[in-house]
Amino acid sequence: MSRKAIYAGSFDPITNGHIDIVNRALHLFDEIKIAIIHNANKIALFSIDERILLVSTVFKDNPKISVEGFDGLLVDYAYQKNIYTLIRGLRAVSDFDYEFQMALMNRRLQPKIDTIFLMTDQQYAYLSSSLVKQIARHKADISALVPDVVQDALTGKIG
Ligand code: ADP
């Protein structure tokens, strides 16, 4: 049986920190579904289709990874897909409270679901999509933080 997991988030846009988590998860799972949240409360810079396209482009050579947008509760989506493992990335301790709350709530909503936390590489511990967007707005160098395709897309959006 193939081991599958879902890695969900806004990915607005995908960064090298997200990619690091996916690469770590590939050691543990045969298939990873990257699920991009459609209707998060946050106002996104990139549309859902743009975010799906960016993530798909980054992983285009890896058949173990699929990319989809989703709406609604993550646990419902996971259940529909028959996937009961969620992956989340942890950066600093500050991520922990929120992640702990989410993991326990998701388990309460759907007891079969478990969340696996993977620790990011130190060099990405301070990296977030929102910081990347801020830095890009000020035209500073983001080449070490995101793949080229994302850098180009940010330049296209922000100028
Ligand atoms: P959110 O779900 O809060 O919108 P994101 O879409 O940015 O967050 O991230 C999805 C997942 O990726 C979360 O588990 C988040 O902790 C993780 N993540 C984000 N940036 C990094 C990073 N630099 N290193 C490791 N994990 C990260």
Side-chain angles (χ1 to χ4, degrees):
M1 212 180 85
S2 97
R3 296 163 303 169
K4 298 179 185 170
I6 291 175
Y7 181 35
S10 316
F11 303 100
D12 183 42
I14 185 164
T15 69
N16 289 347
H18 295 123
I19 295 169
D20 178 63
I21 296 297
V22 173
N23 287 333
R24 287 171 198 284
L26 281 170
H27 296 301
L28 303 169
F29 297 95
D30 304 308
E31 282 176 55
I32 295 167
K33 192 172 273 300
I34 301 183
I36 306 186
I37 299 163
H38 190 20
N39 202 8
N41 292 329
K42 303 175 186 170
I43 297 167
L45 175 66
F46 291 98
S47 72
I48 185 75
D49 290 338
E50 289 170 331
R51 285 181 277 153
I52 292 173
L53 184 64
L54 286 175
V55 178
S56 307
T57 306
V58 169
F59 294 110
K60 66 177 185 328
D61 295 326
N62 195 330
K64 293 174 159 188
I65 295 170
S66 59
V67 186
E68 253 179 30
F70 84 100
D71 229 331
L73 278 180
L74 175 58
V75 287
D76 292 342
Y77 171 81
Y79 212 74
Q80 267 171 29
K81 300 283 168 190
N82 275 310
I83 301 176
Y84 303 104
T85 307
L86 306 177
I87 294 163
R88 296 290 289 177
L90 280 183
R91 286 162 289 190
V93 185
S94 50
D95 278 343
F96 183 79
D97 260 355
Y98 173 72
E99 293 292 344
F100 187 61
Q101 215 180 351
M102 285 261 294
L104 291 186
M105 183 52 81
N106 282 339
R107 189 192 275 161
R108 187 193 165 112
L109 292 167
Q110 194 46 264
K112 267 179 93 169
I113 299 233
D114 260 309
T115 307
I116 290 195
F117 294 97
L118 295 172
M119 225 75 80
T120 189
D121 191 282
Q122 268 188 44
Q123 61 176 317
Y124 305 128
Y126 302 102
L127 177 54
S128 67
S129 300
S130 38
L131 263 183
V132 164
K133 285 180 278 189
Q134 274 184 45
I135 299 168
R137 280 191 187 102
H138 294 285
K139 313 228 179 317
D141 182 18
I142 51 165
S143 57
L145 309 178
V146 294
D148 289 350
V149 64
V150 172
Q151 198 178 349
D152 293 346
L154 276 165
T155 310
K157 273 270 172 208
I158 294 172

